[in-house]
Amino acid sequence: MGFKIIKYGSPILRKKSVEITENDNVALIVENLFSTLKKEGGLGLAGPQVGILKQIFVIDTSPLTEEDSLITKIENAIVNPEIVGLSEEKEYYNEGCLSIPGIYEDVLRPETIDVRYYDINFNLIEERLDGIKARIFQHEYDHLEGILFIDRLSPLKRKLLSGKLNKIKKG
Ligand code: CO
């Protein structure tokens, strides 16, 4: 089981996702997102990246915890998320994306965020996130809004990447 990853250039990645409802088979979507993520070896995967334009994503930090035992392992499915607060303090972190293979760049984002979301059983969760969890959450949340991490780079940086991006677009 699993999904095929939609790559940069597809208009699907630029669309806004709709809310998950109780009619959606959340358990099945989550199972497929996790198996696809494990197979592809990323840290997070959002619905739109597999053609599901719904507000859902999964986080799995096991590729990092295998390298660094100080990082706590997080395996979490996030439904209908909202970011309700952003810290003024920002930091750079080197990001990549399964939809934009081969490109890794430092992206500036708030360090700490306050979030609301539902778990797979539709329990409301409210928490403050920092570190790697805040980083992945913001990257995946952007996917639900049709935003990619390269949109958050400087115009010059993006220009320098345009050749590589065009190559991905052409497949
Ligand atoms: Co991504």
Side-chain angles (χ1 to χ4, degrees):
M1 289 260 269
F3 295 117
K4 195 173 172 289
I5 306 263
I6 291 174
K7 300 281 160 52
Y8 175 79
S10 166
I12 291 168
L13 294 176
R14 294 311 194 172
K15 296 210 165 94
K16 275 199 172 202
S17 291
V18 299
E19 276 188 15
I20 290 273
T21 70
E22 301 205 22
N23 297 324
D24 289 305
N25 193 338
V26 172
L28 185 66
I29 298 172
V30 165
E31 192 190 314
N32 277 300
L33 284 172
F34 271 126
S35 66
T36 308
L37 182 58
K38 286 206 187 290
K39 197 178 74 192
E40 304 287 337
L43 302 175
L45 188 63
Q49 292 181 276
V50 294
I52 297 174
L53 284 167
K54 297 192 175 183
Q55 293 174 14
I56 188 163
F57 59 78
V58 297
I59 293 174
D60 179 3
T61 59
S62 38
L64 291 177
T65 51
E66 282 156 20
E67 284 170 25
D68 184 347
S69 59
L70 292 176
I71 297 173
T72 45
K73 186 172 149 72
I74 303 156
E75 220 182 297
N76 206 1
I78 309 287
V79 173
N80 295 342
E82 281 178 88
I83 297 178
V84 294
L86 301 165
S87 66
E88 275 177 34
E89 300 75 33
K90 294 183 179 182
E91 63 185 352
Y92 282 100
Y93 189 88
N94 197 260
E95 294 187 25
C97 181
L98 291 174
S99 294
I100 316 174
I103 293 182
Y104 300 89
E105 292 292 337
D106 290 338
V107 182
L108 187 64
R109 296 186 192 266
E111 274 178 34
T112 309
I113 56 173
D114 292 320
V115 299
R116 287 164 62 101
Y117 62 90
Y118 294 86
D119 67 14
I120 57 167
N121 300 311
F122 287 97
N123 299 307
L124 178 66
I125 316 278
E126 294 181 281
E127 39 180 8
R128 174 162 289 182
L129 305 178
D130 58 18
I132 189 69
K133 201 171 176 185
R135 176 59 54 158
I136 302 171
F137 197 106
Q138 290 177 82
H139 177 115
E140 301 310 327
Y141 180 85
D142 272 354
H143 277 298
L144 308 182
E145 297 281 305
I147 298 167
L148 301 171
F149 83 91
I150 49 168
D151 303 341
R152 299 199 177 276
L153 303 174
S154 69
L156 176 65
K157 245 303 147 49
R158 268 208 308 281
K159 206 167 177 189
L160 291 170
L161 288 172
S162 61
K164 278 188 183 174
L165 287 171
N166 279 330
K167 227 176 231 173
I168 298 170
K169 217 183 233 177
K170 285 177 190 146

